[in-house]
Amino acid sequence: MLARSGQWVAGSVVYGPVAQVSGVTGDVHVTTHTGAERALYRVDAFPMERAAPSVAQARAQPARLLQARYALVDFTGRHAELARLAAWRDGAGAVSVLLLHGPGGQGKTRLAARFAAATRTGGGGWEVVQARHAADPTPADASSGLGDPAAGVLVVVDYAERWPVDDLLTLLAHSAAQERRVRVLLVARPAGLWWQTLAHRLDRLDLDTDVLPLASLTRDPSADSAALFAAARDRFAAALDVPDPQRVPAPAALGDPRRFGQVLAVHMAAVAAVDAHRTRTATDLDAPGRISGYLLDRERDHWRTLHANGRIGVPAETLARTVYTAALTGALPYDAGHAALTAIGACTGDTTDRALTDHAVAYPPADPHAGTVLEPLYPDRLAEDFLALTTPGHHLPHATPDPWTTTAPARLLHRAPDTDATTHTHNEQRITRSALTVLIAAAARWPHLATTQLAPLLTARPDLALHAGGAALAALAALDDLPVEILETVHAHLPQGRHTDLDPGIAALTARLTLHRLAITTDPAHQARLHTTLANRYANAGLHRQALTADEHALDICRRLARANPAAHEPDLATSLNNLSIRFGAVGRREEGLAAGEEAAEVYRRLTRANPAAYEADLAASLNTLSNRFAEVGRREEGLATIEEAAEVYRRLTRANPAAYEPDLATSLNNLSNRFEAMGRREEGLAAIEEAVTIRRRLARANPAAYEPDLAASLNNLSVWFGDVGRREEGLAAIEEAVTIRRRLAQANPAAYEPDLAMSLGNLSNRFGAVGRREEGLAAIEEAVTIRRRLAQANPAAYEPDLATSLNNLSVWFGKVGRREEGLAAIKEAARIYRRLASKSPGVFAERLRAVREVRADLLDRLGRAGEAEEIRRRLLDEALED
């Protein structure tokens, strides 16, 4: 069954627009093709536990017993976590997203499965499904047992950090369209900046978020490593038909939390100990890496047995290299698997087809009808250990590496996407993302992989890191053993502007490099620039408070330097002040933003008098910023004078160099129209915004990714002006175009564009009202209120004024359609907000408070509550007389 963003149905594939990314070494351009859609994700019934392997299968491959899908060892402990998950599921909200995170092997998948099973059978009627990215070819489980769709749906998303962020955001946005309660459980290894940025964007989508870090089960009061080992040992002994499991000794180091702090590590020790006891194999499970080494040796024994019995034709060495390839790529369609094995050089001659067939004998696909090959070794930790122990550089005596692996990843990725991702197949991009993600995760526990694999790979192709995704890029930045020079090389290839998928990883990488660079430089000016760069990266990731902190550090340094040597450092001081003014504005600290903007303009004005050619453009930019800050605090005349000066400078610069300065001129004209509007100068305002739209439409045709956001801003303002001069249909057409652009932008990056969408929706409601389309007008303002309420909850200082404005407009709309009680409730809420704001900034908000109180009085009159209306008007008159 195929779907497009409607209600989820188990067994469906959800499609969406194809997004192509190019220019990764410079600015990133994203083109959305609405005519060509691609599969985004699949929704399947959550799989039930499967029957355990037979004794013969378990003895041939003991590691099979570790797979979470068999749930062989009874679930232990986690009572607090299960209670927390149940409380989250049963909460009052319509839609909520929870991140369950912890290191690999901590038991996340088992806990998610336990919770899913409890939800399915708990009597609440919940449907339980899993969502898999379309790039994951793992087949759907055929189990049924779906609940009552009317009750709600629990969606489990494993490996959430490996999804492209746009696709994950699409899934989560679709959760709001289910017309029933939805709980989305994201299961991932990392949290950090990847989650902070994602949660920030989910807030903008009006989705509640929560996080549950999964601590080591050995710290659970109801479990300890010895008890966990004993329980696992007994279950594995039964599966392997080993009598007297009490005779199987535990590793002496079992109490060491550094080695056995994770459930999977304890279970691996238990299955290795039981099997070694069964086969009478003398092995020191306390030796580093020996538990994984033993289990992998048993895999190799199985390969040799298969070859000796004639069940496979390729030698064990070839099968080992095929297993290595599968660990990097994950399961693939047949043609893609064949191409991967050929590229990596795992086979000799024309044995690739036979190698794929033989690999499926040892590691059959979960669904033989799915048409996939290269099923990877499970669990993930064991596959990562296989990569590490097969690669030279670990110096462990019990594992002999294969020199072939030294350059294997480079051979596999030689066709990986470079600066033009559109020329490569979807499977090639998937392989690149998977291979790098797995290598980075393995290198976190096996340091030699950082130096022998990742370092040479990224030295030759630093752009590869950009295709791993934001979470993997952040994990790469956290590898202490990766030479910082490699990170510097990767950093040099990062896109300069925003990138939805990479921004969290870029921020993490920049933060790591900033600490290093600050430690090795004694140049204060360089240190200031480092803080500024970090601030910009934080801002791109939507982390505005962190960005403000970084820019404050930059300003402290620049101010110190400028005091000592004004001629050399005042330009940097002015730049830093202008940046800080923008950061203060983003977090709602308006007065501080104005002070910083005024000082920046003052410095630039002084510099421009001395050297106009060098600083006039910077002065104009700072005047743009300052005009916005003036407007935010209600100083209209000064805001207008400031932006008029900026526009005059940019117009002069544009005549000399249109390519360089026309975008800046359009920005100034757009702001100038806003200031004219505030002053009631209609003809001049309309002329300014029409010129801005003409420029920006031309720029957007040439480069949509760069200039469509600006075009939307100008169209928004143009619609207001058309409305003011009575050109109603033209006003409606302009704002509908603006909303279309901003809705698309907000879906890709809510943190950056949803405030603008809310503004345009408010204007759209006005334009609908002007042409008599009341129902559509009410719907638009209701959506604007919903967005702005959510924004104000996250950042009251920045967004409460906008919320109050929308509530005021909503009350007017309710009055138009006869819903006066609802209108009264909306205007009362607006008044409460303005009263609070006016107590702090009377010059900005007192007039607005007076206006909404008058609207409230009018509504009370219409409701027949004349006494209350008269009391409000009396108070307003008394206050006016006092003034």
Side-chain angles (χ1 to χ4, degrees):
M1 180 178 295
L2 307 182
R4 278 169 175 79
S5 74
Q7 191 163 358
W8 288 320
V9 179
S12 64
V13 179
V14 178
Y15 281 73
V18 175
Q20 295 183 342
V21 181
S22 61
V24 295
T25 57
D27 290 333
V28 173
H29 308 300
V30 181
T31 304
T32 301
H33 300 269
T34 56
E37 293 193 321
R38 63 184 175 91
L40 298 178
Y41 61 88
R42 299 202 314 272
V43 178
D44 305 315
F46 192 85
M48 300 175 67
E49 295 175 2
R50 300 189 180 186
S54 66
V55 172
Q57 291 172 325
R59 287 185 169 187
Q61 294 173 286
R64 291 180 63 161
L65 302 176
L66 297 167
Q67 294 186 33
R69 61 181 175 177
Y70 297 129
L72 200 63
V73 180
D74 291 339
F75 190 85
T76 304
R78 302 296 190 195
H79 303 301
E81 290 87 349
L82 286 168
R84 170 88 178 276
L85 287 168
W88 163 71
R89 178 196 61 208
D90 298 335
V95 181
S96 184
V97 181
L98 184 142
L99 172 69
L100 174 66
H101 73 92
Q106 199 79 293
K108 302 182 297 296
T109 301
R110 281 294 306 275
L111 177 60
R114 180 74 168 191
F115 174 60
T119 298
R120 174 183 284 160
T121 61
W126 285 78
E127 181 178 0
V128 182
V129 299
Q130 64 179 354
R132 294 183 180 273
H133 191 260
D136 180 357
T138 305
D141 188 84
S143 61
S144 56
L146 304 183
D148 176 7
V153 58
L154 168 67
V155 188
V156 181
V157 186
D158 208 351
Y159 299 103
E161 77 277 19
R162 299 188 183 184
W163 284 50
V165 170
D166 282 346
D167 295 349
L168 184 59
L169 283 170
T170 299
L171 163 72
L172 298 173
H174 289 171
S175 68
Q178 299 309 300
E179 299 178 359
R180 50 181 168 168
R181 295 172 66 201
V182 178
R183 298 293 181 266
V184 183
L185 178 62
L186 303 179
V187 183
R189 287 189 181 184
L193 286 178
W194 168 80
W195 170 246
Q196 290 178 38
T197 303
L198 180 63
H200 188 68
R201 292 171 179 171
L202 295 182
D203 285 342
R204 300 296 183 261
L205 292 174
D206 200 22
L207 299 179
D208 291 335
T209 59
D210 203 349
V211 62
L212 177 57
L214 196 59
S216 169
L217 185 55
T218 58
R219 295 162 59 183
D220 191 311
S222 62
D224 59 56
S225 55
L228 289 173
F229 179 87
R233 176 199 62 198
D234 293 349
R235 292 294 292 130
F236 293 143
L240 291 163
D241 195 18
V242 174
D244 301 325
Q246 293 78 12
R247 296 173 56 196
V248 177
L254 188 62
D256 183 354
R258 292 170 299 180
R259 292 188 58 192
F260 296 101
Q262 296 167 352
V263 178
L264 181 57
V266 175
H267 286 186
M268 289 173 67
V271 74
V274 171
D275 191 70
H277 175 77
R278 181 186 70 82
T279 60
R280 294 182 173 82
T281 302
T283 183
D284 181 9
L285 296 182
D286 285 303
R290 188 66 190 101
I291 293 172
S292 292
Y294 175 84
L295 294 174
L296 293 170
D297 285 345
R298 296 290 289 113
E299 295 292 314
R300 293 178 185 275
D301 289 343
H302 180 54
W303 306 340
R304 285 189 285 267
T305 300
L306 291 174
H307 187 267
N309 293 341
R311 292 187 60 196
I312 64 173
V314 298
E317 178 186 68
T318 299
L319 191 57
R321 293 176 178 180
T322 307
V323 172
Y324 178 97
T325 306
L328 290 175
T329 67
L332 293 170
Y334 186 89
D335 287 346
H338 192 286
L341 270 192
T342 301
I344 205 170
C347 308
T348 58
D350 57 354
T351 60
T352 301
D353 289 302
R354 183 59 190 266
L356 288 172
T357 302
D358 288 352
H359 179 270
V361 174
Y363 303 98
D367 181 354
H369 304 293
T372 59
V373 294
L374 296 180
E375 188 77 12
L377 183 64
Y378 290 112
D380 294 341
R381 182 187 179 101
L382 190 62
E384 294 166 8
D385 291 347
F386 179 74
L387 293 176
L389 293 172
T390 309
T391 302
H394 57 70
H395 305 301
L396 298 180
H398 56 77
T400 303
D402 182 356
W404 168 88
T405 63
T406 302
T407 55
R411 291 192 298 273
L412 175 67
L413 301 178
H414 80 287
R415 278 182 48 78
D418 47 33
T419 57
D420 184 5
T422 66
T423 63
H424 296 268
T425 70
H426 176 68
N427 283 322
E428 286 166 351
Q429 295 177 44
R430 180 199 179 281
I431 289 170
T432 301
R433 193 178 186 104
S434 173
L436 287 170
T437 298
V438 171
L439 280 173
I440 292 167
R445 294 184 298 109
W446 295 94
H448 73 287
L449 291 179
T451 54
T452 65
Q453 295 283 340
L454 289 171
L457 188 64
L458 296 176
T459 296
R461 288 284 308 278
D463 60 290
L464 288 176
L466 278 63
H467 297 279
L473 188 59
L476 182 76
L479 293 178
D480 293 333
D481 295 284
L482 188 67
V484 72
E485 293 79 12
I486 305 301
L487 297 178
E488 292 281 9
T489 303
V490 170
H491 188 268
H493 285 73
L494 295 176
Q496 295 301 310
R498 294 179 182 271
H499 190 292
T500 304
D501 192 27
L502 293 177
D503 280 339
I506 292 174
L509 177 59
T510 306
R512 161 86 185 272
L513 288 176
T514 298
L515 289 175
H516 167 73
R517 293 165 175 173
L518 288 172
I520 63 173
T521 182
T522 58
D523 179 5
H526 186 208
Q527 292 173 340
R529 289 192 293 274
L530 291 173
H531 286 300
T532 297
T533 298
L534 179 59
N536 291 335
R537 292 306 194 181
Y538 276 139
N540 287 348
L543 305 172
H544 297 296
R545 288 183 173 83
Q546 291 94 321
L548 173 60
T549 298
D551 264 331
E552 285 178 321
H553 288 313
L555 178 62
D556 288 343
I557 296 171
C558 289
R559 199 179 291 285
R560 206 164 51 239
L561 291 171
R563 281 197 296 266
N565 189 343
H569 298 293
E570 273 200 332
D572 292 333
L573 172 62
T575 299
S576 187
L577 285 163
N578 191 66
N579 291 343
L580 194 64
S581 176
I582 295 170
R583 304 290 177 241
F584 277 133
V587 299
R589 293 165 63 177
R590 295 179 177 84
E591 295 292 345
E592 293 163 286
L594 175 60
E598 286 182 309
E599 187 178 356
E602 179 185 345
V603 176
Y604 272 131
R605 202 179 294 284
R606 185 166 61 247
L607 293 169
T608 300
R609 283 196 293 268
N611 189 345
Y615 296 110
E616 200 169 35
D618 294 325
L619 170 61
S622 71
L623 291 172
N624 253 332
T625 300
L626 179 58
S627 174
N628 291 334
R629 300 291 86 80
F630 275 134
E632 288 171 354
V633 299
R635 293 166 62 175
R636 298 174 181 176
E637 293 83 357
E638 292 160 289
L640 175 59
T642 302
I643 196 60
E644 283 182 313
E645 182 181 358
E648 180 183 346
V649 173
Y650 276 131
R651 196 178 295 283
R652 185 169 61 252
L653 293 171
T654 298
R655 284 195 291 268
N657 190 344
Y661 294 110
E662 203 171 38
D664 298 319
L665 172 60
T667 298
S668 289
L669 290 167
N670 191 80
N671 292 344
L672 178 60
S673 75
N674 291 335
R675 303 293 89 79
F676 276 137
E677 179 191 19
M679 300 297 294
R681 294 164 60 174
R682 293 184 174 182
E683 290 185 7
E684 295 160 289
L686 179 58
I689 194 59
E690 285 184 311
E691 184 180 359
V693 168
T694 299
I695 295 172
R696 284 178 163 174
R697 195 179 293 285
R698 183 171 63 250
L699 293 170
R701 279 196 296 267
N703 190 341
Y707 294 111
E708 264 199 338
D710 297 332
L711 173 60
S714 290
L715 287 166
N716 181 87
N717 293 349
L718 179 61
S719 75
V720 175
W721 281 107
F722 278 143
D724 287 347
V725 299
R727 295 161 63 176
R728 297 172 181 176
E729 293 295 340
E730 292 169 281
L732 178 58
I735 194 59
E736 285 182 316
E737 184 181 358
V739 168
T740 298
I741 295 171
R742 282 179 161 172
R743 196 180 294 282
R744 184 172 65 247
L745 294 170
Q747 183 173 3
N749 190 342
Y753 297 111
E754 211 174 28
D756 298 330
L757 173 60
M759 179 205 307
S760 288
L761 287 167
N763 289 341
L764 178 62
S765 76
N766 293 335
R767 302 288 77 77
F768 276 136
V771 297
R773 292 162 63 175
R774 290 188 173 186
E775 290 186 5
E776 293 162 289
L778 177 58
I781 193 60
E782 285 182 313
E783 184 180 359
V785 168
T786 298
I787 294 172
R788 283 178 162 171
R789 192 184 301 284
R790 182 171 65 252
L791 293 170
Q793 287 169 349
N795 190 341
Y799 296 112
E800 271 196 334
D802 297 331
L803 172 60
T805 297
S806 290
L807 286 165
N808 180 74
N809 294 342
L810 179 62
S811 73
V812 174
W813 272 102
F814 278 140
K816 289 179 180 178
V817 299
R819 293 162 61 178
R820 292 169 182 166
E821 289 291 350
E822 292 168 279
L824 182 60
I827 203 64
K828 286 173 67 176
E829 184 179 358
R832 284 196 299 270
I833 295 172
Y834 277 136
R835 187 175 290 109
R836 185 167 59 251
L837 295 171
S839 68
K840 299 177 182 178
S841 302
V844 179
F845 297 109
E847 184 178 339
R848 300 185 200 179
L849 174 60
R850 181 184 298 274
V852 298
R853 292 168 71 189
E854 289 173 351
V855 172
R856 184 183 176 190
D858 291 340
L859 280 171
L860 287 168
D861 270 338
R862 295 178 193 175
L863 287 167
R865 295 158 65 176
E868 294 173 73
E870 182 60 31
E871 176 63 20
I872 292 174
R873 293 191 179 101
R874 185 187 62 76
R875 291 178 184 174
L876 288 171
L877 179 60
D878 290 344
E879 292 168 7
L881 292 173
E882 290 175 4
D883 293 340

